């Protein structure tokens, strides 16, 4: 029997995901050179202490550093913090801070910077951070290199350390204190402690950072400069990689068709290696302020109307699988091996819509909705169109409103001017880091990728808070199991797919993708052939 399309696409996916970083490497790192990185979108904010996003980290994690990060084995490792200890009751965590570190403007890094950033940025403004630090009451600074985080409820140390890899970037107090935090110029011209110093940001063109000669890691970085070029056209981006104008296209920045093609080109590596800590989902968010969407039967009907396996096979080159909920299978500590909660079933969809009282009217239409795609990747507008066509079949008319990513984020999360939204959710090792915030109420208005849907559940809020403050791992897992069931039933957000990111990398680059979140790390040891 000849292979089916599904067989061919699955084989292609396995080949891409299995592509290995070449074993042969030069014996010693080379100093100098410029690494040029292609970016497929522009978020404008470059302060990771205020905006948690891979689109921010891929640039500013080279400039601004966190307290901790992940090592090559995926374990929390020291960066600006050199050590930590939690109190037995979990209500305080003491960080010993690295000495001799200076900000790029020459000022010393101290515990006062950590205190200010945690209380004024992470707790008040940082998407995901506001939930993580919900019960943070104070940060004591008994000396310039000690910061003691004090919590009203227990904070599991494993959770905090994993979260701080993404939600623990530290900003300079002397630059931000006494200013409007959200309007400070340093949000687009960041001052950090990292291996590279910010040089210039030309909107729509490029961002440049150069080697920090006073970096605390002696002898690093190897690269002279990193340049991030905004190349939004997928064909132009692939051409730039192939001609050597850029050496890295991270986080699915290229078209899936080009990633599939380039995996056989000996000049490049196409792989998910080094991106394991960032599993992601395609999402569908419901604004429950809309009468029709306030009815859970309508939300369930919409999910039943969309053939997710067909979308994965025909639009994603078979790279992915239907999600079973907001916790991916890569999260072995918390994953529950359940079937996807909403199988494709148009008849069930139609019955639920009828039951909810939204019967077909003239021309077969039940009602109309506005869908705003948040353009994280090429598949987002494809999914938006697929949703539009799928819902048309059950009598729901959908208008797609296309904006750039900054405009879409403002429209959905600040202005609430949407009915449906679709984009990406990233899972970062623990549900409390960047996932439960999609469902818990109370995030500040305007915080991207948080619950801004007009939906609230006392039970979900209780489960989220209990799990985030439970010190016993088995009890935490049980709480998250109950939480997954509750949010799958209520479906204020539907996680449709489970996927892995891919990077396309020139083989001239070395010591790359050597940690589980390499694209969002500092690249201090990365180097490039002449």
């Amino acid at each position: 029997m000849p292979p089916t399309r599904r067989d061919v696409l699955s084989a292609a996916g396995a080949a891409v995901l299995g592509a290995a970083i070449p074993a042969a490497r030069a014996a010693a790192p080379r100093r100098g050179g410029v690494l040029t990185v292609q970016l497929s979108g522009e978020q404008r904010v470059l302060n990771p202490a205020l905006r948690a996003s891979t689109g921010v980290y891929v640039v500013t994690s080279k400039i601004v550093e966190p307290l901790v990060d992940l090592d090559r084995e995926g374990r929390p490792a020291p960066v600006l913090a050199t050590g930590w200890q939690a109190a037995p009751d979990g209500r305080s965590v003491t960080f010993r801070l690295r000495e001799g570190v200076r900000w790029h403007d020459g000022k010393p890094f101290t515990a006062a910077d950590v205190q200010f950033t945690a209380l004024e940025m992470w707790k008040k403004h940082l998407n995901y951070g506001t939930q993580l630090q919900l019960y943070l009451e104070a940060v004591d600074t008994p000396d310039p290199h000690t910061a003691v985080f004090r919590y009203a409820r227990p904070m599991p140390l494993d959770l905090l350390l994993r979260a701080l890899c993404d939600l623990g970037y530290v900003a300079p107090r002397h630059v931000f204190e006494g200013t409007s935090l959200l309007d400070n110029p340093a949000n687009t011209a960041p001052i950090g402690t990292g291996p590279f110093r910010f040089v210039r940001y030309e909107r729509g063109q490029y961002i440049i950072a150069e080697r920090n000669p006073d970096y605390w890691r002696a002898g690093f970085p190897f690269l002279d400069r990193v340049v991030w070029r905004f190349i939004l056209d997928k064909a132009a981006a692939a051409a730039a990689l192939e001609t050597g104008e850029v050496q890295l296209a991270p986080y699915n920045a290229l078209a899936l068709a080009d990633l599939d093609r380039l995996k056989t080109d000996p000049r490049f590596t196409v792989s998910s290696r080094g991106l394991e800590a960032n599993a992601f989902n395609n999402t569908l968010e419901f604004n429950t302020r809309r009468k029709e969407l306030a009815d859970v039967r309508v939300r369930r009907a919409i999910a039943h109307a969309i053939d997710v396996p067909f979308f994965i096979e025909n639009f994603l080159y078979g790279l992915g699988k239907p999600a079973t909920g907001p916790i991916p299978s890569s999260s072995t500590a918390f994953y529950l091996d359940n079937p996807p909660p909403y199988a494709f079933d148009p008849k069930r969809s139609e019955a639920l819509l009828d039951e909810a009282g939204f019967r077909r009217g003239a021309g077969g239409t039940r009602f109309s909705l506005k869908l705003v795609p948040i353009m994280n990747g090429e598949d987002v507008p494809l999914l938006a169109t697929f949703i539009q066509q799928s819902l048309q079949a059950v009598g729901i008319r959908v208008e797609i409103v296309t904006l750039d990513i900054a405009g879409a984020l403002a429209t959905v999360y600040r202005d609430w001017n949407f009915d449906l939204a679709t984009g990406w959710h990233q899972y970062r090792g623990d549900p409390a880091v960047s996932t439960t915030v999609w469902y818990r109420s109370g995030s500040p208005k305007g915080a991207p990728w948080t619950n801004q849907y007009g939906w609230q559940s006392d039970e979900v809020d209780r489960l989220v808070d209990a799990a985030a403050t439970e010190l016993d791992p088995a009890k935490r897992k049980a709480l998250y199991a109950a939480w997954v069931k509750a949010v799958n039933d209520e479906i204020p957000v539907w996680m449709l797919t489970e996927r892995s990111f891919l990077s396309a990398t020139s083989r001239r680059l070395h010591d790359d993708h050597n940690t589980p979140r390499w694209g969002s790390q500092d690249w201090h040891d990365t180097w490039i052939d002449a």
Side-chain angles (χ1 to χ4, degrees), residues 232-279:
L232 278 59
D233 180 85
K234 299 290 186 181
L241 186 71
E242 292 180 274
T243 59
E245 294 177 53
V246 303
Q247 295 82 47
L248 173 65
Y251 291 113
N252 285 41
L254 297 185
L256 290 170
D258 285 321
L259 290 170
D260 186 57
R261 176 176 58 82
L262 290 172
K263 75 178 188 289
T264 62
D265 190 319
R267 296 174 297 169
F268 307 106
T269 297
V270 177
S271 177
S272 61
R273 181 175 182 247
L275 305 170
E276 299 90 345
N278 296 102

Side-chain angles (χ1 to χ4, degrees), residues 27-102:
R30 170 185 175 270
R31 292 193 171 277
V34 176
L35 168 58
T36 304
V37 183
Q38 179 250 334
L39 296 183
S40 60
E42 185 170 9
Q43 294 197 30
R44 302 178 189 172
V45 174
L46 297 181
N47 183 350
L50 288 176
R51 174 67 59 83
S53 166
T54 296
V56 176
Y57 301 150
V58 73
V59 177
T60 51
S61 62
K62 292 68 184 157
I63 300 167
V64 180
E65 293 182 302
L67 292 176
V68 299
D69 214 325
L70 298 182
D71 66 13
R72 296 187 182 214
E73 285 70 47
R75 299 170 302 199
V79 184
L80 290 180
T82 59
W84 42 83
Q85 184 174 8
D89 65 359
R91 293 179 184 270
S92 69
V93 180
T94 300
F95 289 94
R96 186 64 188 170
L97 304 179
R98 192 172 299 279
E99 300 184 31
V101 177
R102 292 192 172 273

Side-chain angles (χ1 to χ4, degrees), residues 295-313:
D295 192 320
V296 69
R297 292 170 295 185
V298 173
R299 302 196 295 271
R300 292 169 181 165
I302 288 173
H304 279 304
I306 300 169
D307 189 345
V308 177
F310 181 91
F311 177 75
I312 292 171
E313 177 177 323

Side-chain angles (χ1 to χ4, degrees), residues 284-286 288 293 295-304 341-342 439 455 485-495:
L284 182 59
E285 302 161 53
F286 301 92
T288 64
L293 299 177
D295 192 320
V296 69
R297 292 170 295 185
V298 173
R299 302 196 295 271
R300 292 169 181 165
I302 288 173
H304 279 304
Y342 295 99
Y439 301 87
W455 178 88
K485 182 180 185 306
V487 299
N488 277 352
D489 287 346
E490 285 292 316
I491 193 174
V493 182
W494 182 29
M495 305 290 180

Side-chain angles (χ1 to χ4, degrees), residues 253-469:
L254 297 185
L256 290 170
D258 285 321
L259 290 170
D260 186 57
R261 176 176 58 82
L262 290 172
K263 75 178 188 289
T264 62
D265 190 319
R267 296 174 297 169
F268 307 106
T269 297
V270 177
S271 177
S272 61
R273 181 175 182 247
L275 305 170
E276 299 90 345
N278 296 102
F280 74 104
N281 310 92
N282 291 97
T283 64
L284 182 59
E285 302 161 53
F286 301 92
N287 188 346
T288 64
R289 300 173 186 86
R290 175 69 184 259
K291 177 185 67 175
E292 294 87 349
L293 299 177
D295 192 320
V296 69
R297 292 170 295 185
V298 173
R299 302 196 295 271
R300 292 169 181 165
I302 288 173
H304 279 304
I306 300 169
D307 189 345
V308 177
F310 181 91
F311 177 75
I312 292 171
E313 177 177 323
N314 290 279
F315 294 90
L316 300 182
Y317 284 73
L319 298 173
K321 60 185 178 181
T324 63
I327 299 178
S329 56
S330 60
S331 181
T332 55
F334 301 106
Y335 179 68
L336 301 168
D337 191 12
N338 296 323
Y342 295 99
F344 177 55
D345 189 343
K347 290 183 178 179
R348 178 62 178 154
S349 177
E350 298 254 18
L352 284 168
L353 291 167
D354 287 344
E355 180 185 322
F358 301 107
R359 296 184 176 275
R360 290 179 182 266
T365 298
R366 301 174 188 271
F367 53 85
S368 298
L369 298 173
K370 178 169 65 177
L371 169 60
V372 179
I374 300 170
M375 299 295 191
N376 308 81
E378 68 166 305
D379 54 286
V380 174
L382 295 176
L383 179 57
T385 301
F386 187 68
I387 291 170
Q388 181 187 51
Q389 295 170 347
S390 300
L391 297 190
Q392 182 68 38
V394 297
I396 300 173
R397 185 175 181 179
V398 174
E399 174 195 1
I400 298 174
V401 179
T402 302
L403 305 164
D404 66 13
I405 189 168
L409 290 174
T411 296
V412 173
Y413 297 106
R414 185 192 69 195
D415 302 336
W416 301 338
N417 186 20
F418 74 106
D419 297 320
L420 304 173
T422 187
W424 287 350
H425 153 260
Q426 283 191 51
Y427 183 85
R428 293 179 168 92
D430 189 293
V433 178
S434 61
T435 300
T436 55
V437 72
W438 285 69
Y439 301 87
R440 198 203 185 282
S441 64
S443 289
K445 185 178 183 181
W449 304 292
T450 66
N451 179 357
Q452 302 290 333
Y453 330 123
W455 178 88
Q456 190 271 335
S457 163
D458 289 342
E459 177 63 7
V460 166
D461 286 355
R462 184 193 69 79
L463 288 168
V464 166
D465 292 349
T469 57

